[in-house]
Amino acid sequence: MKEIIEQPKSFVDVRALLKGYLSPHHSPKGAYTLERIGKLMDFLGNPQNDYKIIHVAGTSGKTSTCYYVAALLKQAGIKTGLSVSPHIDELNERTQIQLEPLSEARFCKEFAIFHNIVQQSGISPTYFELLTAFAFWEFKRAKCEYAVIEVGIGGLLDATNVIFSKDKLAVITDIGLDHQEVLGKSLPEIAAQKSGIIKPYNSVVSYNQAQDVMEIIRQAASRQHAELHEILPIKNSQLPEALSLFQRRNWYLAVATYKILASKNNLPELNQNQLLDSTSVYIPARMEILQFTDKTVILDGSHNQQKLETLVGSLTDKYPHQKFTILASFVNTKQDSLVGCIKALMPICDQLIITTFATENNEKASTDPSKVVAACESVGLGQWRIILHPEKAFEELLHASSSVVLVTGSFYLLNHIRPKLKIRLGKGDNSFFTYNSSVG
């Protein structure tokens, strides 16, 4: 029997405890398997089967769609858990109830109880498996009626894919090329991984997208005798103008998801005001706009070409003819992927500041700035400079001539920027942002 740990007193203590789960022993390369998480959930009594679940996979729009679905359920008066990843500022973003992350005191208390139970199991989960299991476990303890669960990577072998109840609703957002070293090189291969969340007799909601993607989703639904709802996009003029272009698409998918849930489970019908109220849900680092001194600062964790193209489209719509000074860093990736990212940014880029980031235990490494420079030169983007330290790079961004500036690329870069902005502005919560519901 393993030693019972003392209750962590802060997030710092919890992060220190979690460091052991980031080691090569716990997270060997290519260790995507459901064996450990399956055993752990069995040991915990499979709490994920004690409430209804909306399980969301896809390449673009997963997190926003999750937030909107949770907001719609909250509007209906339903107690709802929300688990998203990665977190932007702090661990408790991964375990939210009624769109509120657990307080630091509650998170520490609950995680200590949970971790001591896991210690007695003899199972050694990975970092993501441990936090995923904690969310499932905590939602049961909180007596949630529903939980909205975002997939980490892929779907088929993702740690969240331990939900086997027939009444699960699977949502598949837009699929593109991402995490190809894990999920496959082609869209059909990636779609097969994403549609792996479809279980027997589930309902499935997806936008009607590329034909080779839809063929895979349809086949997966057919094999599982699942009911597939293919959602056709509607004109932006019929959607809330307050939202950015890409959030309109995510919100509409969430509304379609809620309506299917309402029909199946006799949930309240939401009126127009309730639907519109859901658009104001706070979604960190998704075209998040704030006012800082004399600058409009936009934070967005678009980390691949598809996401960046979507972001640029929304920025062009909101700020026509505007050029941006952009601060960016990317997780170490293939050169052709970097080229695609820089190419996506070119239409709005006045100057690119290239920086780096570090993560705890070197879990993720930022791309060598020289590789980003090579990508810039290959597509003809000549206005760039390197500032290695991310906080210094952000200071330079604030002194740029552009009235609107952008921080984008990896969420790990934003993890450096956002928390320090809070400290700098003397706020411990999200109220320091000049938040506008038009941002979404």
Side-chain angles (χ1 to χ4, degrees):
M1 186 173 290
K2 296 190 178 182
E3 181 182 356
I4 295 177
I5 65 164
E6 293 184 10
Q7 180 179 323
K9 295 180 175 59
S10 67
F11 287 132
V12 173
D13 295 338
V14 177
R15 290 198 300 270
L17 187 156
L18 287 170
K19 281 185 178 180
Y21 294 91
L22 288 170
S23 68
H25 171 71
H26 281 86
S27 302
K29 204 163 189 176
Y32 290 97
T33 170
L34 296 179
E35 182 179 359
R36 287 180 306 274
I37 186 70
K39 289 179 179 178
L40 180 56
M41 298 315 297
D42 285 342
F43 185 82
L44 296 170
N46 286 302
Q48 76 277 15
N49 295 331
D50 287 349
Y51 39 80
K52 296 185 187 300
I53 287 184
I54 300 90
H55 197 191
V56 184
T59 304
S60 297
K62 293 195 305 292
T63 303
S64 295
T65 301
C66 284
Y67 271 94
Y68 287 132
V69 172
L72 290 161
L73 287 165
K74 184 179 178 181
Q75 287 289 329
I78 297 166
K79 191 171 187 180
T80 302
L82 171 65
S83 182
V84 297
S85 65
H87 60 272
I88 307 302
D89 290 347
E90 197 49 82
L91 290 163
N92 58 343
E93 293 169 34
R94 297 173 183 252
T95 310
Q96 303 184 39
I97 296 171
Q98 296 297 72
L99 290 168
E100 291 289 337
L102 298 188
S103 68
E104 185 168 23
R106 180 176 173 183
F107 188 97
C108 290
K109 178 183 176 182
E110 293 292 291
F111 190 81
I113 297 168
F114 168 77
H115 188 260
N116 284 328
I117 294 171
V118 173
Q119 288 284 83
Q120 309 315 305
S121 74
I123 299 165
S124 296
T126 66
Y127 174 97
F128 182 67
E129 289 167 348
L130 188 69
L131 290 174
T132 297
F134 174 64
F136 283 135
W137 179 83
E138 182 62 23
F139 294 153
K140 178 180 178 179
R141 280 170 68 87
K143 295 181 170 58
C144 291
E145 301 170 73
Y146 281 76
V148 184
I149 307 294
E150 179 183 6
V151 165
I153 294 179
L156 180 65
L157 299 178
D158 185 74
T160 62
N161 201 24
V162 288
I163 310 152
F164 291 92
S165 53
K166 292 181 180 179
D167 61 4
K168 182 181 86 171
L169 196 154
V171 180
I172 300 177
T173 68
D174 294 330
I175 291 176
L177 297 174
D178 198 18
H179 299 295
Q180 290 166 270
E181 71 285 357
V182 174
L183 303 179
K185 298 184 183 304
S186 68
L187 282 178
E189 287 177 298
I190 293 172
Q193 291 290 321
K194 307 287 186 183
S195 59
I197 67 169
I198 302 172
K199 301 300 183 188
Y201 304 103
N202 288 171
S203 292
V204 186
V205 186
S206 175
Y207 267 126
N208 187 294
Q209 44 191 301
Q211 184 59 35
D212 53 352
V213 167
M214 290 311 304
E215 196 58 40
I216 297 297
I217 295 173
R218 290 170 187 145
Q219 289 172 7
S222 177
R223 283 195 303 272
Q224 301 289 3
H225 306 286
E227 181 182 67
L228 175 60
H229 301 262
E230 297 183 28
I231 308 303
L232 296 174
I234 62 175
K235 294 179 179 179
N236 281 317
S237 60
Q238 297 173 274
L239 295 169
E241 291 184 9
L243 291 177
S244 59
L245 289 181
F246 75 94
Q247 293 295 40
R248 293 176 204 174
R249 183 172 175 85
N250 296 328
W251 180 79
Y252 186 63
L253 182 62
V255 170
T257 298
Y258 178 81
K259 287 180 177 179
I260 292 165
L261 283 173
S263 175
K264 289 174 63 68
N265 300 324
N266 197 30
L267 302 184
E269 181 178 347
L270 299 180
N271 61 40
Q272 191 65 16
N273 286 337
Q274 289 174 307
L275 291 174
L276 291 176
D277 282 349
S278 72
T279 66
S280 63
V281 62
Y282 179 79
I283 307 175
R286 271 74 181 179
M287 200 167 155
E288 182 178 17
I289 301 175
L290 59 107
Q291 203 64 40
F292 191 88
T293 61
D294 61 342
K295 286 282 188 297
T296 298
V297 181
I298 300 172
L299 306 177
D300 190 279
S302 293
H303 58 267
N304 62 36
Q305 183 175 356
Q306 181 190 36
K307 291 172 186 274
L308 286 167
E309 287 173 348
T310 302
L311 171 64
V312 168
S314 292
L315 289 172
T316 302
D317 178 73
K318 188 172 182 65
Y319 301 98
H321 313 300
Q322 175 76 50
K323 290 285 188 176
F324 299 77
T325 299
I326 301 173
L327 172 62
S329 185
F330 302 91
V331 170
N332 196 20
T333 188
K334 293 181 178 179
Q335 194 64 24
D336 57 348
S337 297
L338 275 178
V339 170
C341 289
I342 301 303
K343 187 180 294 185
L345 289 172
M346 279 189 71
I348 62 167
C349 185
D350 179 52
Q351 181 180 143
L352 180 67
I353 300 175
I354 304 163
T355 191
T356 63
F357 58 79
T359 60
E360 291 184 353
N361 280 19
N362 296 315
E363 181 198 5
K364 296 285 185 182
S366 57
T367 295
D368 186 324
S370 66
K371 293 184 177 180
V372 183
V373 169
C376 291
E377 292 178 344
S378 72
V379 299
L381 178 62
Q383 297 299 314
W384 56 263
R385 56 181 171 144
I386 297 173
I387 303 176
L388 294 177
H389 196 281
E391 285 83 0
K392 290 181 180 177
F394 184 70
E395 288 295 329
E396 287 298 312
L397 185 74
L398 293 178
H399 289 92
S401 58
S402 307
S403 60
V404 186
V405 296
L406 170 66
V407 184
T408 192
S410 173
F411 284 116
Y412 295 102
L413 172 60
L414 297 178
N415 187 250
H416 279 275
I417 302 301
R418 277 183 100 253
K420 288 179 173 57
L421 279 174
K422 290 183 181 182
I423 295 170
R424 180 169 176 167
L425 296 175
K427 302 285 184 178
D429 55 26
N430 290 320
S431 61
F432 75 92
F433 293 107
T434 305
Y435 181 71
N436 183 333
S437 63
S438 68
V439 180

